[in-house]
């Protein structure tokens, strides 16, 4: 029993000291620049979403110009993108949809209200099977709205700046899904 307890303590210590934000991920899938409708976006920063000591996905934030002001980024009516690179077999379509619904509940305090239709539109983007290595881009362009791509294929479009603000607040808001991931994305 003592050996098992010592092993558990060792695992917890290792998990607690493992860096969770990185300038380069283990799969090195975050390019320095991406193009969104002829708009050149630069990698602002990125990190790894971890849960229970397991890497789930790499998240990168792309902007026209680098910024460390998360609230300004959320509020901006400017070209930007969040890239989610799946790096775990644990992420499935069902789990991602459940997680996104939970996150929308969290950031809206359970009151989807006027966002319900847009949230359901976004949920359709996660219906297909999800595999380790898949890449989701949540691209916002002024005048066009928020487009979600999976492996460069358009999955959903929501023409609303307010909805972009809500969605981006999941990762960049005052109470983000993962504070260390937010810190990495802000740079």
């Amino acid at each position: 029993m003592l050996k098992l307890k010592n092993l558990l303590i060792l695992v917890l210590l290792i998990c607690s000291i493992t860096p969770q934000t990185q300038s380069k991920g283990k799969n090195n899938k975050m390019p320095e620049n991406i193009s969104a409708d002829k708009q050149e976006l630069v990698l602002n920063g990125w990190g790894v979403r971890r849960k229970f000591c397991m890497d789930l996905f790499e998240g990168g934030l792309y902007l026209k110009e680098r910024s460390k002001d998360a609230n300004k980024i959320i509020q901006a009516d400017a070209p930007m993108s969040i890239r989610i690179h799946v790096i775990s077999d644990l992420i499935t379509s069902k789990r991602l949809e459940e997680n996104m619904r939970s996150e929308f509940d969290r950031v809206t305090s359970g009151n989807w209200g006027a966002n319900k239709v847009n949230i359901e539109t976004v949920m359709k983007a996660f219906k297909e099977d999800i595999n380790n290595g898949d890449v989701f881009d949540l691209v916002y362009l002024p005048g066009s709205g928020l487009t979600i791509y999976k492996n460069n294929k358009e999955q959903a479009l929501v023409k609303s700046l307010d909805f972009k603000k809500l969605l981006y607040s999941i990762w960049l808001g005052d109470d983000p899904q993962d504070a260390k991931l937010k810190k990495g994305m802000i740079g």
Side-chain angles (χ1 to χ4, degrees):
M1 182 69 171
L2 186 59
K3 289 181 182 180
L4 180 59
K5 183 178 178 182
N6 289 340
L7 180 61
L8 181 59
I9 290 170
L10 179 63
V11 168
L12 290 173
L13 282 172
I14 290 170
C15 288
S16 68
I17 62 172
T18 301
Q20 295 185 15
T21 57
Q22 307 167 3
S23 61
K24 293 289 180 193
K26 67 180 182 183
N27 293 323
N28 203 16
K29 297 291 184 185
M30 291 292 161
E32 289 297 318
N33 298 290
I34 62 172
S35 181
D37 192 39
K38 300 179 184 172
Q39 299 280 334
E40 198 67 27
L41 302 177
V42 63
L43 180 63
N44 193 67
W46 69 282
V48 177
R49 169 70 168 127
R50 302 190 77 209
K51 191 169 185 177
F52 305 121
C53 300
M54 294 177 283
D55 294 349
L56 300 175
F57 65 83
E58 298 169 338
L61 174 64
Y62 291 85
L63 306 170
K64 288 288 288 175
E65 296 178 11
R66 289 188 172 96
S67 173
K68 292 186 180 286
D69 188 335
N71 190 51
K72 187 175 178 181
I73 294 165
I74 291 169
Q75 299 300 319
D77 187 13
M80 63 184 68
S81 181
I82 289 179
R83 174 167 281 188
I84 297 172
H85 173 234
V86 177
I87 57 174
S88 172
D89 291 327
L90 296 175
I91 296 183
T92 64
S93 176
K94 182 178 179 183
R95 285 184 181 140
L96 184 57
E97 182 180 356
E98 288 171 356
N99 179 263
M100 289 300 293
R101 286 183 186 281
S102 174
E103 289 300 314
F104 280 121
D105 281 342
R106 185 178 61 79
V107 297
T108 64
S109 299
N111 181 11
W112 290 10
N115 293 302
K116 184 173 176 54
V117 171
N118 292 335
I119 291 171
E120 292 302 336
T121 298
V122 166
M123 290 301 110
K124 293 175 185 171
F126 306 119
K127 290 288 185 193
E128 292 180 9
D129 287 343
I130 296 174
N131 299 299
N132 190 335
D134 283 342
V135 175
F136 290 90
D137 290 297
L138 291 64
V139 179
Y140 177 78
L141 296 170
S144 298
L146 178 85
T147 306
I148 299 178
Y149 297 90
K150 177 183 175 190
N151 301 325
N152 297 315
K153 180 182 170 194
E154 185 176 326
Q155 301 293 310
L157 171 64
V158 175
K159 295 184 178 190
S160 169
L161 172 60
D162 287 337
F163 185 75
K164 182 276 290 191
K165 293 176 185 179
L166 178 69
L167 182 64
Y168 276 39
S169 70
I170 289 173
W171 298 284
L172 302 176
D174 292 336
D175 181 24
Q177 177 187 59
D178 183 316
K180 291 185 179 192
L181 175 60
K182 174 184 173 178
K183 183 178 178 182
M185 292 171 84
I186 296 302

